[in-house]
Amino acid sequence: MTASTSPQSAAFGLWPSPISAATVAAGATPLSQPQADGLDAYWLAGRASEGGRTTLLRQRGAELLELTPAPFNVRSRVHEYGGGAYLVAAGTVYFSHFADNCIYAIYPGQTPQAITRPGSARYADFARDAARNRLIVVREDHAVPGAQPVNTLCAVGADGTETILAHGSDFYAAPRLSPDGASLAWLSWDHPRMPWQGTELWLAHINPDGSLAPATLIAGGPEEAVCQPEWSPAGVLHFVSDRSGWWNLYRLAEGTVQPLCERAAEFGTPHWTFAVSMYGFRSDGEIICTYIENGVSRLAQLSPETGKLAPITNPYEEIRELRVGGGAALILGGSPTIPLELAHFDLASARPHVLARSITDLPADGYLSIPESITYASGGNGQRTAHAFYYPPCNAGVTPDATEKPPLMVIGHSGPTGMAASTLKLATQYWTSRGFAVLDVNYGGSSGFGRAYRDALKGQWGVVDVDDCVAGAHYLATRGVVDPERLVIRGSSAGGLTTLCALTFHDVFKAGASYYGVSDLKGLDDDSHKFESHYNEYLIAPKPESDMQYLLRSPINHTDKLTRPMIFFQGLDDKVVPPQQSEVMVSALRAAGVPVAYMTLEGEGHGFRKADSIVRTLEAELYFYLRIFGLTSPEQPAVVAIDNLPGAA
């Protein structure tokens, strides 16, 4: 695409843009979970045009092969969020198929064949135990209807026979077998903790019959979050711990835990999904790692013996995953000018060879907004510092009206321990290329800024996150770069609660959009799946003290205060935040005469994967804001029905 040679004048919000909703849906291919096997590279790619199916690809030399054609869907539902859905070991692929939750194997030169049978179990985070011809997996068994599932570490034989290796904890993750096959390390944790609050790292010898000897606690506890245990080629156990207040690297050497590189940086991320990798071994004496410092990812070489961290030049400011092998690294990364991509990074030459891009057809640079990383005071007395990325409107084909300021869209990310990154996203450029400014907020509670920042949300969900979004809007309005009368806020899941609270308890934003957002904290407890069933004890308060806080903070209990127009989007198959949470809010707004729109999507759960869903929701949200701001005429075809708005369909 090329920029227009004759810039035209248009109102903010109505700028003609080459980035359509269909462009966003078609152009953004989700990429995840890279793995290396010898010289072969593997990764998962989303297929929005195929109902959101996820497929496994392999790059071997110049040949790109899809190993799991339709109807296979490489995805796990363990903890509902999944991850760790496949493993490659010596040319054989093992994966979880979403439709039946079975484990399948793809042996060299063959098609997928089931190892396990359909039933009540789900599987994730595979490790290959070659000496015993079995997999070691995290198993989640839903055998008892209405009861919480049972999580275990389980061995799965080539014939599908399942043997429980470890049980008794509420959750398990990261089974990692030593190079000699003699020992197994893993993580576990129990309610009410989430894995970024406190986990335990265990180590056990494997008996001759394949069972585990009594395990030894290596690290972790209620106030120490351990993640990503890995073995060096020589069989030394390494892991990431936040015992210092930052997720740093450690190793177990001669029976003691030793820090490798003490630094105010994050070498790990919250365990929402399985098998995320942030470091790997080039050799026993060299670790290749990525870490987050001031919200930006760095790539480096770390010497375990000296603790020296040597930067590796690379083009990425966000590195989501890193796998090391064969003198190279597989990097899943992006930057403000690079959409998420998978690169084979030659460590000797420090040159990336791109294997896959999430977006293959980018608009011209003149239509891409480059974010500014900003910090600003927040909280009641400005005692805290909040972080965000500010995206100004950008469109080479338009001459902005110098007498006007753009509307501002504030985004509260989901999680709520997630992190807003600066990687180029068409979904953001969709708005900035139309004349909206965007503020992507890393509110208190976000990851990437150390444990203290993450713990700022302890007991303060619906307060600190909201304060930081409100303060960010005030900050930009005070700077005179946005229109204070056209401030909107949007969010999904936990960010939906932030959105609803901001509109209910503050008089700053003029409208908002909730994507499968939380409105009822008690209802969230009642309906939540096992993984998050006690999360509110951390975010709000332990029971029974939480009852009063639920009443005070749940927007569903204060619908009389919600007087700003809103649009709601809800997947009808959502098991994390059920549709009832949106429906009660919509009904209340309709009854109160507040402009409201509601779009439901069949076949969508917690997060929209289908291309049609992405197109419909983006177009509806834009139409909604334009109608609220009076920028469209009643004669314009309605994209979504808006109740209580004069002249709306």
Side-chain angles (χ1 to χ4, degrees), residues 363-375:
D365 291 345
Y367 293 90
L368 299 178
S369 176
I370 304 301
E372 172 192 356
S373 178
I374 65 173
T375 59

Side-chain angles (χ1 to χ4, degrees), residues 432-584:
T432 56
S433 64
R434 283 169 170 75
F436 284 78
V438 172
L439 185 69
D440 207 356
V441 182
N442 274 314
Y443 50 75
S446 302
S447 59
F449 301 91
R451 174 132 191 173
Y453 196 79
R454 207 163 66 241
D455 281 342
L457 209 61
K458 184 177 182 180
Q460 295 297 307
W461 190 26
V463 179
V464 164
D465 50 324
V466 176
D467 285 347
D468 289 357
C469 288
V470 169
H474 274 307
Y475 173 72
L476 292 176
T478 302
R479 282 176 55 183
V481 297
V482 299
D483 184 351
E485 298 303 316
R486 292 190 292 173
L487 307 176
V488 302
I489 184 169
R490 75 193 299 259
S492 60
S493 189
L497 177 75
T498 304
T499 294
L500 288 164
C501 286
L503 291 164
T504 301
F505 303 120
H506 296 264
D507 188 24
V508 175
F509 298 102
K510 309 306 177 183
S514 170
Y515 282 72
Y516 38 90
V518 176
S519 64
D520 181 5
L521 293 167
K522 185 179 186 305
L524 188 65
D525 272 0
D526 294 341
D527 297 326
S528 184
H529 54 105
K530 179 183 178 182
F531 181 61
E532 292 183 275
S533 59
H534 291 262
Y535 194 13
N536 279 345
E537 295 182 32
Y538 170 84
L539 293 171
I540 307 296
K543 297 180 183 303
E545 298 87 33
S546 62
D547 291 343
M548 180 56 68
Q549 292 300 324
Y550 283 4
L551 288 172
L552 292 173
R553 292 194 208 168
S554 294
I556 204 168
N557 300 321
H558 305 276
T559 54
D560 58 312
K561 298 179 180 178
L562 182 53
T563 60
R564 300 298 192 184
M566 284 205 67
I567 186 168
F568 293 79
F569 300 100
Q570 181 68 52
L572 294 179
D573 293 343
D574 196 334
K575 307 301 181 186
V576 178
V577 180
Q580 181 184 6
Q581 295 235 358
S582 292
E583 291 164 2
V584 172

Side-chain angles (χ1 to χ4, degrees), residues 394-420:
C394 182
N395 188 316
V398 175
T399 300
D401 186 339
T403 66
E404 293 187 354
K405 304 295 182 184
L408 172 68
M409 171 181 286
V410 173
I411 300 176
H413 62 68
S414 60
T417 61
M419 177 184 171

